[in-house]
Amino acid sequence: MENPTDRPDRPERPQRPARPLAGRRFYDGANRPVTPKQFRPDRGGSEFDDRPARPRGRGGSDNRDDAPEGRGDSRPPYRERGEGAGRSGGSDRPRYENRPAQASSIDMLFGLRPILEALSAGRTLEKIFLLRGTKNSLVTDISTAAREAGIQVQLVPVEKLDNLTRKNHQGAVAFVSPIDYAPLDNIVSGLFEEGKVPFLLLLDRITDVRNFGAIARTAECLGVQAIVVPSRGAAQINGDALKTSAGALNILPVCREVSLHETIRFLQQSGITVVACTEKAEDAVGSAEIDFTGPVAVLMGSEEDGISPDLLNLADVKLKVPMTGQIQSLNVGVAAGIMLFEVARQRVQQA
């Protein structure tokens, strides 16, 4: 078959000048041709390179050299298409590369039956999340066993559980505590039997794990014998808390109590003076009239609103940190360090 382009009676079309491979020319505001900076000789390129000009994101220069190694496609880094996605089914799952992962030292349990068996075996659980609206015998047994052990149970939607883990959680997720909690009554009775003067620290709703870890480190260094926290509303003891405490949480006993009200009354009946650190007090830390050489328990409040009013009314002594600056506010970890240092200073002087 004859090629139409080879017909002798057809006039030959004039040859167009070859266009530069860069794709197009660039002009300035006065309609004068200009050379893009990525093609300038001082930038390592010729006037028109052998590759087309591509915009750098929103800026306007080539971006292929700036792409991360190992990524050969042009998909954005925050989307990931799973298997079977597209018209045939499936969905696009967002992938957040900078999203912080769970601490490696935190162990999680999944499923109703494993969590119930862990409670029956006496394992120390930090918190239990159950799917809201689930009603069966296993959920009832878990709630009952957790309440008896003083473990917080929270009913959450399925989105919360999916954010905690991508595994098949079956509507139940539990965090295993990296430490074992100690009973407070055994701690107090053991101190008196050994002839030691009790020095305890009560933390009312300290929610920041790094604050909690820093306080535990200071407490261990200054001679505190145990830390008492509430079972609800307290910071979760995880890898960040252990790291910030520099290992103090592996040495210093931590007691988790259901009610700090009953705890304060128990300590007072045991002959321990409860000292609250609050800015609402009239006397300041370091006053000569306050004696910390006897059995004492220091009470510190939360980062947001301090000590609860009902707990503050139960305290035997109320002290404030003297401040002359304009801010008139201290981080709870710093304030705890000042209070604990005063107790340690008086006991060193007496010894």
Side-chain angles (χ1 to χ4, degrees), residues 38 163 273 293:
Q38 70 267 29
N163 289 334
T273 303
T293 58

Side-chain angles (χ1 to χ4, degrees), residues 308-338:
S308 302
D310 47 355
L311 296 180
L312 192 59
N313 294 332
L314 295 176
D316 300 307
V317 180
K318 304 179 184 64
L319 296 176
K320 65 180 179 180
V321 177
M323 292 179 288
T324 58
Q326 297 181 6
I327 298 179
Q328 297 293 314
S329 176
L330 287 175
N331 175 270
V332 62
V334 176
I338 295 174

Side-chain angles (χ1 to χ4, degrees), residues 120-142:
S120 302
R123 295 193 64 181
T124 305
L125 302 183
E126 191 72 23
K127 185 180 295 186
I128 301 175
F129 295 95
L130 297 178
L131 180 62
R132 184 180 300 162
T134 304
K135 296 181 180 180
N136 54 48
S137 59
L138 291 179
V139 172
T140 303
D141 295 340
I142 289 176

Side-chain angles (χ1 to χ4, degrees), residues 271-292:
I272 300 176
T273 303
V274 178
V275 180
C277 180
T278 173
E279 59 184 8
K280 302 176 183 178
E282 298 181 358
D283 298 327
V285 179
S287 301
E289 295 81 6
I290 308 300
D291 183 16
F292 289 134

Side-chain angles (χ1 to χ4, degrees), residues 151-226:
I151 301 173
Q152 180 180 356
V153 177
Q154 188 173 353
L155 302 179
V156 297
V158 67
E159 291 80 9
K160 173 67 175 179
L161 299 176
D162 292 338
N163 289 334
L164 293 175
T165 178
R166 294 182 179 179
K167 297 182 179 180
N168 184 17
H169 49 71
Q170 299 178 344
V173 175
F175 288 95
V176 181
S177 176
I179 66 171
D180 291 327
Y181 294 97
L184 180 60
D185 52 352
N186 292 348
I187 295 291
V188 173
S189 61
L191 291 174
F192 282 117
E193 291 175 359
E194 296 174 4
K196 299 180 180 179
V197 181
F199 182 15
L200 309 177
L201 176 61
L202 310 180
L203 300 180
D204 177 27
R205 298 170 295 120
I206 301 295
T207 56
D208 188 275
V209 293
R210 291 178 176 85
N211 275 341
F212 180 78
I215 292 173
R217 181 176 183 176
T218 304
E220 202 282 329
C221 291
L222 295 178
V224 173
Q225 294 147 344

